[in-house]
Amino acid sequence: MLFTPEVFSHSYVLLSIIVANVAGTQEPIYGPSAIQSVANQAQTTPYTELQPEDLQWTAMESTCVETQVFYLTADSGHIGMAQVIYSNVAGIRTTCQFNTKIFYPNQSDGNKTPNLWSSDALDNHGFDSRKLSFYADGCAVTLNDDATAYTVKSAINESSIVNLTVSRLAPGFHVGSNGKSYFGTDPHHPWGTMRHAFWPRCHVEGNIITKEGPIDFKGRGLFIHALQGMKPHHAAAKWSFADFQSPTFSAIMMEYTTPPSYGSTVVNVGGIVKDGEIICAGAANTAVHTEVHEDPETEWPEPKAVQFRWSGKTKAGEDVHAELAGGLGQRLDKVDVMANVPGFVKTLVGGVVGTKPYIYQYSPQQNLELKIKMGSDETVEEGVLFAEATFIS
C-alpha cells in the first residue's frame, strides 16, 4: 500500500495526487473488461522471483505514484514504517516525500505512548545510474551491490532520524510474469498500471532516533516496491493489507477492489515464505472482514475481525493452503487522509469525486496463528500481524 498511499501505506500519498486531480475526474463505467488483472498472468506463472532490475525505480513522467516502503516488526514490540514516495501530477509537477510512523507497544501500566508520524518533502531527489537507489537532500535509500539489502537513512526530521539496514532473508517476488495489472479498454495500449514487488521476509538492524531517544528496530521486516501508473482513486476504491511475521514464516497480502468504473474487480497478490524459500505466492488469495461495525464518524464498515487465506503450490507441486483469522482488537490508528487539506479542497474532493479516504490500522495484542497445510503436513505458528483496511470511495 502502493499504494499506501496510491493509497500506499501505503496510503498516505493519496493526498498529493487526489488534491491535484480532483475536479472533473469522475470516470465513466468501462466495466471489468477494462482491467487486465495480474491474476490472468498468475494462471500460468503464479509468481516470478525478483532480479535486481525488478527493483529499479520507474520514475514515470506522467501521473503516477511510486513508493518503496519498509514495514518494521521489532523484537521490542514496536511496529514501524519508513517510506519514500515519488509522485508525478500529469507530467507537470514531480514531488518526493519521506514518511515514518512508529506504533509503540503497550506499557506495563496499560498506558500507551502516542503514535509518532513524520512526513517531510524532499528536495533535489535523484537516482543512481541503474535507478536502484534513491537519494535526496538528507535522505537516501540505497540497495547494496548484490541486491540483498537496503540501507535507509534520513536526517530531515529531528523527530525521527532514521538509520536502518533491511536485509532479505528469502527470495523476493512479484505475482505473474511482471507483477502488473493493466487498466484500459485497449489491452495493447493501457492507460494505467498497478504493480507490487515484495521482499516478504527481512532482517532489520538499526534504529530510529526520536526526541525521547533511540528506538532499536532489530527484528523482522517487509519491503514493498509499488507503482500506480494512474490516479490512485481511479485504480482502487478500497484496500486490505496484511503483514504477518513469525519465527519461521512471513505471510503477506495486498488486495484492492477497483471502483465501479472497472467493475469493482478484486485483485489480490500475496505469498508465504520462510528463510531462503518461497513456499507459495500468487493471486489465488482472499481477504475477508468477518466482523464489521459501522464507524459513526466516517460511515465506513470498520473491520473488527479478519480472515486471510492463501492458496498455491510449492516448487515441488504440493498444494499449499494457509489461513490467518481472528479479532483485530483495539485499532492502532484511524487516519483521515484529507485531514490537513484546506476545507474548501476537502469539500471539493468529497463532493465532486466522492472520495473520502480513511485508513484503519491494527496489530492484535493477542498474537494470531498462521495455519499452513503443505501436502499432508500441517503447521501452526503464532506471530505478529500488522493489518490495514483502507476505504477511498
Side-chain angles (χ1 to χ4, degrees):
M1 147 193 57
L2 359 178
F3 116 235
T4 281
E6 127 195 12
V7 177
F8 293 122
S9 183
H10 36 183
S11 300
Y12 299 107
V13 84
L14 273 173
L15 189 64
S16 60
I17 296 295
I18 289 177
V19 173
N21 293 280
V22 53
T25 61
Q26 193 89 36
E27 285 201 300
I29 302 298
Y30 303 112
S33 63
I35 176 173
Q36 291 76 54
S37 169
V38 71
N40 298 337
Q41 300 177 29
Q43 291 178 5
T44 54
T45 306
Y47 68 91
T48 303
E49 291 190 11
L50 298 182
Q51 302 302 313
E53 57 268 23
D54 297 315
L55 301 171
Q56 290 177 326
W57 285 86
T58 304
M60 293 173 58
E61 296 183 1
S62 56
T63 296
C64 71
V65 181
E66 187 169 9
T67 183
Q68 289 189 339
V69 55
F70 301 84
Y71 292 95
L72 314 169
T73 304
D75 295 341
S76 62
H78 294 81
I79 292 175
M81 178 201 74
Q83 176 188 36
V84 63
I85 299 170
Y86 170 104
S87 62
N88 184 298
V89 178
I92 298 171
R93 185 181 181 209
T94 298
T95 59
C96 294
Q97 198 87 1
F98 187 79
N99 299 331
T100 59
K101 191 165 189 177
I102 298 172
F103 301 98
Y104 292 81
N106 286 342
Q107 300 167 356
S108 57
D109 59 5
N111 293 322
K112 190 175 186 298
T113 303
N115 304 327
L116 178 63
W117 163 246
S118 301
S119 184
D120 297 275
L122 298 175
D123 295 323
N124 301 316
H125 78 276
F127 307 92
D128 69 343
S129 60
R130 298 180 64 194
K131 281 194 171 180
L132 293 173
S133 299
F134 172 96
Y135 58 86
D137 290 350
C139 178
V141 179
T142 306
L143 184 65
N144 67 356
D145 290 341
D146 60 359
T148 58
Y150 280 96
T151 57
V152 184
K153 295 185 177 183
S154 173
I156 57 174
N157 190 316
E158 63 181 14
S159 296
S160 54
I161 298 172
V162 179
N163 186 0
L164 300 167
T165 300
V166 180
S167 303
R168 178 169 56 81
L169 294 176
F173 71 86
H174 54 216
V175 169
S177 57
N178 65 9
K180 292 182 179 179
S181 293
Y182 296 95
F183 294 75
T185 51
D186 181 351
H188 301 292
H189 300 92
W191 57 59
T193 58
M194 178 89 80
R195 176 182 182 262
H196 293 87
F198 304 97
W199 285 3
R201 189 169 180 82
C202 302
H203 175 71
V204 179
E205 292 279 354
N207 57 44
I208 298 177
I209 301 174
T210 71
K211 289 184 177 180
E212 287 69 41
I215 298 173
D216 186 356
F217 268 96
K218 181 180 179 180
R220 300 290 185 197
L222 159 67
F223 164 70
I224 302 176
H225 188 149
L227 170 68
Q228 278 197 341
M230 60 192 301
K231 298 171 186 176
H233 55 303
H234 285 182
K238 61 181 180 180
W239 293 80
S240 290
F241 169 65
D243 170 21
F244 175 86
Q245 302 288 335
S246 74
T248 308
F249 303 104
S250 296
I252 57 99
M253 186 183 297
M254 186 84 75
E255 179 180 284
Y256 64 92
T257 303
T258 70
S261 51
Y262 296 99
S264 299
T265 301
V266 177
V267 180
N268 186 306
V269 292
I272 301 174
V273 308
K274 61 182 181 180
D275 286 358
E277 179 184 345
I278 297 174
I279 296 172
C280 72
N285 318 302
T286 59
V288 179
H289 298 165
T290 54
E291 180 185 349
V292 299
H293 293 174
E294 182 178 292
D295 181 342
E297 178 188 2
T298 66
E299 299 181 344
W300 288 122
E302 180 185 358
K304 299 297 182 180
V306 291
Q307 179 191 72
F308 298 103
R309 285 181 170 173
W310 292 261
S311 294
K313 289 184 180 294
T314 66
K315 285 186 175 180
E318 282 190 314
D319 288 333
V320 179
H321 299 283
E323 179 178 291
L324 178 67
L328 290 170
Q330 185 175 0
R331 69 174 178 244
L332 296 175
D333 203 0
K334 179 175 74 174
V335 181
D336 178 358
V337 178
M338 304 303 296
N340 297 314
V341 177
F344 76 94
V345 176
K346 189 171 183 178
T347 300
L348 184 64
V349 170
V352 177
V353 183
T355 302
K356 189 174 60 174
Y358 278 83
I359 308 161
Y360 297 84
Q361 297 174 314
Y362 307 88
S363 184
Q365 294 180 5
Q366 183 69 38
N367 283 350
L368 300 184
E369 291 181 338
L370 178 69
K371 301 176 181 178
I372 304 179
K373 186 174 183 181
M374 291 181 281
S376 58
D377 296 331
E378 187 166 342
T379 303
V380 179
E381 188 165 285
E382 281 191 358
V384 177
L385 171 68
F386 176 73
E388 289 184 337
T390 302
F391 302 94
I392 305 171
S393 61

